[in-house]
């Protein structure tokens, strides 16, 4: 009888049919239902009829529209954002946007404009952003001024403009950003800047222009949000030209393809007669660096010396009590004490990221920075066998500490005792040797974010996270668990206030049903890039409203009894799993289609089995799991054989009884 049953089951299984429903492939991609569409690089010569009238955001770059006029976009009256980058536009006719009252952003970047009608921009009531980058403009008179009263940003980079003198009737009262980068501007006169008098807190970008002269007084008594003169060959001229000006930010960095410039104390003389809060001098060289170099920096609050070829800051710098932020990234310090931190007693933020040499933390190098709140020492080849109390001595107000991407660090008991106010600690990709049997973090009662990804941790130490009662975000990515499993008793029991937990790439094979029992507040759980099966979801049955990432695992079949646990989550990612698309998984596939609104990355959620459906999106699969005509035939045959078997069995039993009476 067993062979008969096997044959029957096989026949029914074969009779179950499955097929893929072909999906439509519209030309334009819908990014947000009935509102946002991407039609980039489709070779279009007109606006497709398939775009709904409700379209608000249209990305139409890299198509072909040599001429645009009032009929080109007339149907799309709800447009707010329109990107026409590199559509080979030559002509913009009258009243092109007359029906688009809500339009606030027009991008015409990379179009070889020949003509723009005076009324080409009329219509929008609140046109705020206009991009005319790389359009061949050589004279600002080319820009139509009608209907620009509400303009906040005008981008004119990479053109052939030699003067920034705006037309007399150009409205600037609301202008906040004016971008002239990479033009042919060599001289700035008082007449040029007078045309900007109505603008307040304006950000001007002159990056990539070789400024050779600024008329005295051109920037006098004017207030700017920011000025950028990046790549200028003579900073002495810039500082002299900016005398008696007031600005929030001054960007004077140089670029990789610009000749090295050596700055001296004389370069900064003009700085003494101006008010500026933030200065960027990245990639410059300093000649004869001494305390007098910073004589005019006394009012500066932020100083960026990234990649300034420094191996130390001079001692004896005076008067820089206003400095709140110092950026020393990508320099060549051998020891932390070489920055002479005592010269900047009011410092709150210090960045020494990506140091070009192995950085020795020394001892007590930063102890004079009592107000320091943020310290970034990442990517600096730091190595310490006994970290971190002596190195961070007296940093009682430190809230942010980044020690990621460094060499191995040995953490002692209460390793961060000197920083009790820490709220964020990042030691990602830094091998941690935890010496004490207990937690090196146990005094960090205010810590909210802890990044321990790829730290080669001993996750069997259940007390590793003790004392972190206020921890909200924990990243354990890339750390392995014993036997590839998270057991019922684990280190996560110490952090019951967690809201975000990342356990991706941890080589996990299974999770105990009670492993997350103490995590009642978790709303984001990342278990991607492991080797978990569908049964592991049993550990999530008590959690609700999760963002759950189970991508790139070994999930084939999700049992029906686990579907309620999935239903109570908010967003789920099951992409890149070897999902079974046969009738054995029909309950999950049905649930999947009914809950598409909860599924993330559905394009990559595809079948792995059977081979005929490999690579087909799960949402496109249609299964026929009922009994077909062939299946009914086999059932009838099976029943007939069963009846015959019963008849012969009864006859055999009766004959045996009569023979033994």
């Amino acid at each position: 009888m067993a062979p008969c049953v096997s044959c029957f089951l096989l026949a029914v299984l074969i009779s179950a049919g499955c097929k893929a429903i072909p999906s439509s492939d519209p030309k334009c991609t819908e990014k947000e239902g009935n509102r946002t569409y991407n039609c980039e690089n489709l070779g279009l010569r007109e606006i497709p009829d398939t775009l709904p009238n409700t379209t608000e955001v249209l990305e139409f770059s890299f198509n072909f529209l040599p001429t645009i006029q009032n009929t080109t976009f007339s149907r799309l009256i709800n447009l707010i954002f329109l990107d026409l980058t590199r559509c080979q536009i030559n002509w913009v006719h009258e009243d092109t946007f007359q029906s688009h009252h809500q339009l606030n952003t027009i991008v015409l970047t990379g179009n070889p404009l020949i003509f723009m009608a005076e009324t080409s921009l009329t219509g929008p009531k609140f046109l705020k952003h206009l991009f005319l980058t790389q359009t061949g403009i050589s004279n600002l008179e080319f820009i139509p001024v009608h209907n620009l009263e509400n303009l906040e940003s005008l981008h004119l980079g990479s053109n052939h403009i030699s003067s920034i003198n705006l037309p007399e009737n150009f409205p600037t009262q609301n202008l906040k950003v004016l971008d002239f980068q990479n033009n042919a501007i060599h001289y700035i006169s008082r007449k040029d800047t007078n045309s900007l008098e109505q603008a307040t807190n304006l950000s001007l970008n002159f990056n990539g222009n070789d400024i050779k002269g600024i008329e005295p007084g051109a920037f006098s008594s004017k207030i700017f949000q920011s000025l950028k003169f990046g790549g200028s060959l003579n900073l002495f001229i810039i500082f002299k030209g900016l005398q008696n000006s007031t600005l929030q930010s001054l960007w004077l960095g140089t670029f990789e393809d610009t000749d090295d410039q050596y700055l001296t104390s004389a370069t900064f003389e003009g700085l003494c007669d101006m008010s500026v809060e933030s200065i960027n001098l990245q990639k410059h060289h300093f000649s004869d660096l001494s305390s007098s170099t910073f004589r005019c920096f006394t009012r500066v609050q932020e100083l960026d010396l990234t990649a300034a070829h420094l191996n130390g800051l001079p001692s004896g710098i005076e008067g820089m009590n206003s400095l709140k932020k110092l950026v020393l990234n990508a320099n060549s310090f051998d020891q932390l004490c070489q920055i002479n931190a005592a010269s900047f007693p009011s410092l709150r933020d210090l960045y020494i990221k990506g140091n070009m040499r192995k950085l020795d933390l020394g001892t007590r190098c930063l102890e004079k920075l009592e107000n320091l709140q943020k310290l970034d020492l990442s990517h600096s080849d730091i190595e310490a066998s006994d970290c971190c109390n002596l190195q961070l001595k007296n940093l009682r107000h430190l809230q942010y500490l980044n020690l990621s991407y460094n060499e191995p660090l040995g953490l002692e008991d209460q390793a961060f005792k000197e920083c009790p106010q820490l709220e964020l600690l990042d030691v990602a990709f830094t091998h941690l040797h935890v010496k004490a049997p207990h937690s090196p973090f146990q005094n960090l009662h205010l810590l909210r974010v802890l990044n321990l990804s790829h730290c080669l941790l001993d996750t069997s130490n259940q007390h590793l996270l003790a004392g972190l009662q206020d921890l909200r975000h924990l990243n354990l990515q890339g750390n392995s668990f014993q036997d590839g499993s998270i057991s019922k008793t684990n280190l996560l029991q110490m952090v019951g206030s967690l809201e975000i937990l990342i356990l991706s790439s941890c080589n996990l094979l299974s999770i105990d049903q009670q492993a997350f029992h103490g995590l009642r507040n978790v709303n984001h759980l990342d278990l991607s890039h492991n080797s978990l099966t569908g049964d592991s979801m049993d550990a999530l049955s008590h959690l609700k409203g999760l963002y759950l990432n189970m991508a790139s695992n070994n999930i084939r079949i999700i049992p029906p009894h686990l579907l309620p646990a999935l239903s109570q989550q908010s967003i789920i990612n099951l992409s890149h799993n070897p999902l079974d698309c046969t009738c054995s998984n029909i309950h999950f596939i049905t649930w999947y289609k009914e809950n598409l609104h909860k599924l993330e990355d559905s394009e990559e959620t595809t079948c792995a089995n059977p081979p005929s459906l490999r690579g087909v999106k799960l949402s496109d699969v249609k299964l026929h799991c009922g009994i077909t005509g062939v299946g009914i035939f086999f059932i009838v045959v099976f029943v007939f054989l069963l009846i015959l078997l019963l008849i012969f069995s009864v006859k055999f039993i009766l004959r045996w009884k009569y023979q033994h009476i």
Side-chain angles (χ1 to χ4, degrees):
M1 180 172 175
C4 292
V5 175
S6 299
C7 291
F8 166 71
L9 292 176
L10 180 62
V12 172
L13 198 60
I14 292 175
S15 67
C18 44
K19 66 177 183 178
I21 299 174
S23 60
S24 59
D25 186 20
K27 277 192 172 183
C28 295
T29 303
E30 183 181 72
K31 299 174 72 175
E32 185 179 354
N34 294 324
R35 296 182 59 188
T36 303
Y37 290 86
N38 186 324
C39 302
E40 294 179 351
N41 201 25
L42 296 177
L44 299 174
R45 293 175 176 267
E46 60 182 11
I47 303 302
D49 294 334
T50 54
L51 288 180
N53 296 343
T54 55
T55 301
E56 296 179 2
V57 176
L58 178 57
E59 298 168 355
F60 202 79
S61 57
F62 296 96
N63 286 297
F64 186 69
L65 293 174
T67 298
I68 56 176
Q69 49 197 346
N70 57 10
T71 58
T72 307
F73 310 101
S74 58
R75 187 171 56 82
L76 307 179
I77 60 174
N78 293 312
L79 278 178
I80 296 175
F81 176 95
L82 178 61
D83 186 351
L84 298 172
T85 297
R86 302 195 187 284
C87 284
Q88 304 181 48
I89 299 171
N90 300 130
W91 298 79
V92 185
H93 287 282
E94 293 85 355
D95 305 323
T96 295
F97 305 106
Q98 65 175 353
S99 303
H100 303 88
H101 303 308
Q102 300 178 59
L103 191 61
N104 67 26
T105 302
I106 301 175
V107 183
L108 294 170
T109 297
N111 288 290
L113 297 178
I114 297 174
F115 172 76
M116 291 186 73
E118 277 296 313
T119 60
S120 60
L121 299 177
T122 58
K125 295 181 179 180
F126 300 100
L127 185 60
K128 294 183 178 181
H129 310 288
L130 180 60
F131 291 79
L132 294 171
T133 304
Q134 213 171 16
T135 51
I137 296 175
S138 58
N139 193 318
L140 296 180
E141 297 285 347
F142 179 84
I143 305 171
V145 299
H146 289 281
N147 198 39
L148 298 184
E149 291 80 11
N150 296 300
L151 199 66
E152 295 181 3
S153 69
L154 177 58
H155 300 264
L156 298 165
S158 299
N159 283 297
H160 310 293
I161 300 167
S162 57
S163 170
I164 69 167
N165 188 20
L166 293 169
E168 186 175 347
N169 56 343
F170 195 98
T172 61
Q173 65 269 20
N174 292 309
L175 203 59
K176 300 300 179 186
V177 176
L178 187 51
D179 186 352
F180 287 109
Q181 65 178 314
N182 298 319
N183 274 282
I185 301 166
H186 303 304
Y187 186 78
I188 300 174
S189 66
R190 299 182 69 170
K191 182 181 178 182
D192 292 338
T193 56
N194 285 341
S195 65
L196 302 172
E197 279 188 342
Q198 290 184 335
T200 57
N201 293 320
L202 181 64
S203 293
L204 267 172
N205 188 348
F206 294 109
N207 283 347
N209 290 281
D210 184 11
I211 306 296
K212 297 179 179 178
I214 299 177
E215 183 179 356
F219 290 90
S220 293
S221 303
K222 293 182 174 62
I223 300 175
F224 292 91
Q225 178 66 27
S226 72
L227 292 177
K228 294 182 178 181
F229 291 94
S232 297
L233 299 178
N234 193 332
L235 293 191
F236 178 81
I237 291 174
I238 304 298
F239 280 112
K240 280 295 183 183
L242 295 179
Q243 285 182 317
N244 299 316
S245 64
T246 301
L247 51 146
Q248 180 82 21
S249 173
L250 179 59
W251 204 94
L252 298 170
T254 188
F255 306 107
E256 294 289 350
D257 57 351
T258 306
D259 294 335
D260 289 338
Q261 302 171 59
Y262 285 84
L263 308 181
T264 65
S265 298
T267 304
F268 304 105
E269 287 181 1
L271 182 59
C272 290
D273 299 316
M274 58 184 291
S275 175
V276 57
E277 291 187 11
S278 174
I279 296 181
N280 186 306
L281 294 167
Q282 73 171 32
K283 295 186 181 297
H284 283 289
H285 282 85
F286 285 84
S287 179
D288 300 323
L289 186 65
S290 65
S291 58
S292 61
T293 304
F294 299 94
R295 180 175 59 88
C296 295
F297 286 74
T298 53
R299 285 181 285 184
V300 174
Q301 296 183 28
E302 298 182 8
L303 178 59
D304 192 335
L305 296 172
T306 295
H309 313 280
L310 300 172
N311 53 30
L313 292 178
S315 59
I317 298 175
E318 297 179 350
M320 293 193 68
N321 296 333
S322 297
L323 193 68
K324 301 292 192 299
K325 179 179 179 180
L326 178 60
V327 182
L328 297 170
N329 297 337
N331 283 291
S332 301
F333 304 109
D334 289 315
Q335 193 189 57
L336 193 54
C337 290
Q338 290 175 332
I339 71 168
N340 285 295
S343 300
F344 318 108
S346 301
L347 210 59
R348 292 180 182 173
D349 300 346
L350 176 60
Y351 298 83
I352 310 179
K353 180 180 179 180
N355 196 62
M356 306 301 288
R357 298 179 183 173
K358 193 178 185 71
L359 184 64
D360 182 2
L361 291 179
T363 57
R364 302 174 179 266
C365 295
L366 305 177
E367 67 176 340
K368 298 298 183 182
L369 303 181
E370 297 181 0
N371 299 307
L372 196 66
Q373 296 179 4
K374 182 176 289 189
L375 177 60
D376 189 341
L377 298 170
S378 60
H379 296 269
S380 293
D381 290 330
I382 295 171
E383 184 173 4
S385 59
D386 198 5
C387 191
C388 296
N389 286 318
L390 282 176
Q391 295 87 342
L392 304 178
K393 190 72 175 177
N394 206 33
L395 301 185
R396 309 292 298 176
H397 295 97
L398 195 66
Q399 297 176 3
Y400 172 102
L401 176 60
N402 192 341
L403 291 168
S404 62
Y405 292 90
N406 281 301
E407 296 300 312
L409 294 178
L411 299 184
E412 57 189 12
D413 187 29
Q414 295 192 48
F416 302 95
K417 188 176 180 179
E418 292 291 326
C419 314
Q421 302 293 318
L422 269 184
E423 295 181 10
L424 185 150
L425 176 60
D426 188 350
V427 286
F429 289 90
T430 298
H431 186 184
L432 299 181
H433 296 290
V434 180
K435 297 181 179 181
H438 301 293
S439 171
F441 317 111
Q442 57 187 325
N443 68 301
L444 301 179
H445 305 305
L446 302 179
L447 197 69
R448 298 177 65 85
V449 179
L450 178 58
N451 189 347
L452 295 172
S453 60
H454 299 278
C455 288
L456 301 178
L457 290 171
D458 177 13
T459 55
S460 64
N461 180 1
Q462 297 181 25
H463 301 285
L464 182 66
L465 304 175
L468 302 177
Q469 61 259 34
D470 204 32
L471 194 66
R472 298 288 191 269
H473 184 139
L474 175 61
N475 189 341
L476 290 172
Q477 177 183 359
N479 292 287
S480 297
F481 287 77
Q482 189 173 4
D483 299 325
S485 176
I486 302 180
S487 60
K488 180 179 179 180
T489 55
N490 57 72
L491 74 171
L492 299 174
Q493 294 176 329
M494 297 289 178
V495 283
S497 58
L498 273 185
E499 295 175 358
I500 298 175
L501 176 59
I502 301 174
L503 292 167
S504 58
S505 302
C506 289
N507 299 316
L508 291 174
L509 299 172
S510 64
I511 301 174
D512 186 89
Q513 188 176 353
Q514 301 295 320
F516 300 142
H517 195 67
L519 304 180
R520 296 289 180 179
N521 300 320
V522 170
N523 54 45
H524 182 117
L525 180 59
D526 188 347
L527 292 165
S528 62
H529 297 277
N530 286 294
S531 298
L532 297 170
T533 63
D535 292 332
S536 298
M537 295 183 187
D538 215 8
L540 312 176
S541 58
H542 68 290
L543 298 173
K544 296 181 180 179
L546 274 181
Y547 167 85
L548 175 62
N549 190 350
M550 297 285 291
S552 300
N553 273 282
N554 194 31
I555 299 172
R556 298 178 183 275
I557 294 176
I558 297 180
H561 73 276
L562 293 180
L563 295 179
L566 286 182
S567 297
Q568 61 192 19
Q569 312 312 336
S570 58
I571 301 292
I572 304 165
N573 191 333
L574 293 168
S575 62
H576 302 286
N577 276 288
L579 292 168
D580 194 320
C581 292
T582 64
C583 290
S584 57
N585 209 18
I586 184 61
H587 295 288
F588 166 67
I589 294 173
T590 302
W591 176 91
Y592 183 92
K593 291 181 178 182
E594 294 173 351
N595 291 272
L596 281 175
H597 60 284
K598 292 187 175 188
L599 277 303
E600 182 183 64
D601 205 4
S602 58
E603 293 291 320
E604 300 299 329
T605 308
T606 59
C607 302
N609 186 53
S612 60
L613 291 180
R614 186 170 296 148
V616 175
K617 291 190 297 182
L618 213 65
S619 56
D620 289 346
V621 171
K622 186 175 181 180
L623 295 180
H624 296 290
C625 295
I627 302 176
T628 63
V630 177
I632 294 173
F633 172 76
F634 278 101
I635 290 176
V636 171
V637 172
F638 173 76
V639 171
F640 178 72
L641 292 174
L642 186 61
I643 292 172
L644 287 177
L645 181 63
L646 287 172
I647 292 172
F648 282 112
S649 298
V650 170
K651 284 184 175 182
F652 176 80
I653 293 171
L654 291 174
R655 184 180 301 171
W656 183 85
K657 283 186 176 180
Y658 283 123
Q659 289 176 352
H660 291 81
I661 291 176

